[in-house]
Amino acid sequence: MRLLRPAAIELRDLQALGPGRPDALRGIDLSVPVGARLVLVSRPDEAASTLLRVLAGLVRSTRGHVAMAGLARADDTPRGWARRVGYVGPQPAIYPWLSPAEALALAGRLAGLERREIGLRVGEMLDRFGLADVASRPLSRSGPMVAQKAALAATLITDPEVLLLDEPLRSVDPDERRRLLELPPRRLTVAIASRYPASEEGIVNQVAFIRDGRMILHGSVAELQTHGLPLSVRGIEQLADRHLATADRRPMAGGASRAAIST
Amino acid sequence: MPVTGLALHQLWISFRLLLVVGAILLASLPAALLPSALTPSLAGAPPDALGWYAIALAAALLLVAGVAAATIALERRRGTAGWLAVRAVPRATILLAWFVAFSLLVVIAMLPAGLVGWFSLQNGLPPDGLLPFMAALAGAAGGGLAAISLGLLAGSLLGPVPAALATLLLAGPPLLGAATGQWGWVAMPGGGLAVLAGLETARRPIADALLAAGVAMALSAVLLVLGMTAFRRAEL
């Protein structure tokens, strides 16, 4: 079943260099509908991270077209991106001398929010992420769990339309992590790069698999379950291989195979 | 500008602010401790107090440029520059903010360093030597800003240690060469230091110092544009 809903993430023939790999991404085609929750898995592991970093504008693509939240990705970062697209990397990357409250306020200020709105949203995020008790303490004195929560909260403070998460909240207790990643707004599209897709069970409803720089599967979690396969790298890889082996598969521009997608 | 404030705060927290300001203040020590020359220096003779003052300033400015190179490379590696970039802070603004932060520190630190130098060396200078001395210091500061721009360019392309080393290797010869009198040509980035070192015998020190400052600022602008281009293409 093909969906006709608008795409939140649209990639065509995307190519990029990765750390130490001249061909990390070799022609990725992907269309993620609005509201989807996608887990990106790759062999080697870095390719999925590289893809998110390209989408976030941290790594330049060498070729191809990227559009997110209705905007085409330019070389430099246009103002609109700050409000529409959020990215959280595996490291919090916030200055460690900032407190969670300061980091959130800074993120709001850089995104152009008004002072009053910043105050309201900072309070809301601190409560939601359980950071109120450590709101004024520098991140360097609060440990990695607080820093990771603050990084995600600082991204959500602008209420983005597309959220790119690279191995998020790995220092957080699994139940707490699941609670924080179950993001309610329906219009929010989430792409999570994960080496442990089983930990995203219940959070995501789509899977994508990149092997040797090519997108070889974009399907639904439901389809994995239909085939009796687990939401794991092995399970996703087996589903990809079945699709590739199927005679009536429909080849895509990048050599990928698209499975049925339902959100 | 919030990004410049962040840069200054980061320099303060990491003690690099103290290192930068301290190095420039310490550069005035030779002027304060060595006796002022009462006779003009001869070519090939060891440097006098003024010469050592210029050499120490050149070394301090080189250190600042090296720190700038390592700092911007570290910002890229740690992801803090990326954190700003994904929040729609233009990459050029990030680099410019770091340039402003380092330049502010250099200018602020050179004021007391210049005062110490002037009060210690004025006996060996002509009676109306204050203005030429200040012009020579401004020329030297211009050379420092060009070295910082070079450091930011190197830091946009290389890792922290290679960037710092490349900056020292490239900026060292013109700054130290000028300060030691080996490169006497003033129309070069370190020309202000050459004017400062030869202030006792200079015939038109103000014009030479302003020329050196202008050349240094022009080079600094070119290096900054190159740095911004490199930073735009860099992986953050």
Side-chain angles (χ1 to χ4, degrees), chain A residues 53 57-58 93 95 97 155, chain B residues 10 75 80 83 87 91 236:
Chain A
R53 288 170 60 73
L58 298 175
Y95 286 113
W97 40 267
T155 301
Chain B
Q10 175 66 7
E75 289 291 304
T80 39
W83 193 85
R87 280 163 182 79
R91 291 180 178 215
L236 298 183

Side-chain angles (χ1 to χ4, degrees), chain A residues 14 20 22-23 31 53 91 107 111 116 121 152 166 174 200 217:
Chain A
L14 184 71
D23 56 350
S31 180
R53 288 170 60 73
Q91 304 299 327
R116 191 175 145 275
R121 290 202 191 184
L152 181 56
D166 190 356
E200 321 303 346
L217 174 77

Side-chain angles (χ1 to χ4, degrees), chain B residues 167-184:
Chain B
T167 303
L168 296 180
L169 282 174
L170 290 171
L175 292 188
L176 288 173
T180 54
Q182 303 297 313
W183 294 17

Side-chain angles (χ1 to χ4, degrees), chain B:
Chain B
M1 192 159 56
V3 188
T4 304
L6 283 175
L8 285 169
H9 201 113
Q10 175 66 7
L11 288 174
W12 168 250
I13 288 286
S14 62
F15 297 102
R16 275 171 281 174
L17 189 147
L18 288 177
L19 178 69
V20 166
V21 173
I24 294 175
L25 289 177
L26 281 177
S28 61
L29 274 186
L33 298 179
L34 293 174
S36 296
L38 297 175
T39 54
S41 303
L42 301 173
D48 54 15
L50 196 59
W52 281 116
Y53 181 55
I55 291 170
L57 262 184
L61 292 172
L62 270 178
L63 179 73
V64 175
V67 170
T71 296
I72 202 71
L74 274 174
E75 289 291 304
R76 289 197 298 124
R77 182 179 284 183
R78 287 179 182 158
T80 39
W83 193 85
L84 292 171
V86 296
R87 280 163 182 79
V89 178
R91 291 180 178 215
T93 303
I94 299 172
L95 197 78
L96 205 59
W98 279 101
F99 175 75
V100 171
F102 276 105
S103 302
L104 269 176
L105 294 183
V106 166
V107 171
I108 289 170
M110 280 191 79
L111 290 174
L115 277 177
V116 172
W118 170 250
F119 286 119
S120 308
L121 297 167
Q122 61 178 329
N123 289 339
L125 295 173
D128 54 350
L130 179 60
L131 208 56
F133 183 78
M134 286 170 59
L137 271 186
L145 300 195
I148 289 170
S149 301
L150 177 67
L152 294 178
L153 170 60
S156 301
L157 296 167
L158 305 168
V161 174
L165 289 176
T167 303
L168 296 180
L169 282 174
L170 290 171
L175 292 188
L176 288 173
T180 54
Q182 303 297 313
W183 294 17
W185 192 36
V186 295
M188 55 182 266
L193 291 161
V195 175
L196 186 64
L199 204 56
E200 301 153 315
T201 54
R203 278 185 294 179
R204 34 175 225 152
I206 295 178
D208 286 349
L210 291 179
L211 176 63
V215 169
M217 297 307 287
L219 182 67
S220 183
V222 170
L223 290 170
L224 258 185
V225 170
L226 289 175
M228 286 177 194
T229 306
F231 200 66
R232 264 194 211 108
R233 305 178 70 87
E235 184 175 341
L236 298 183

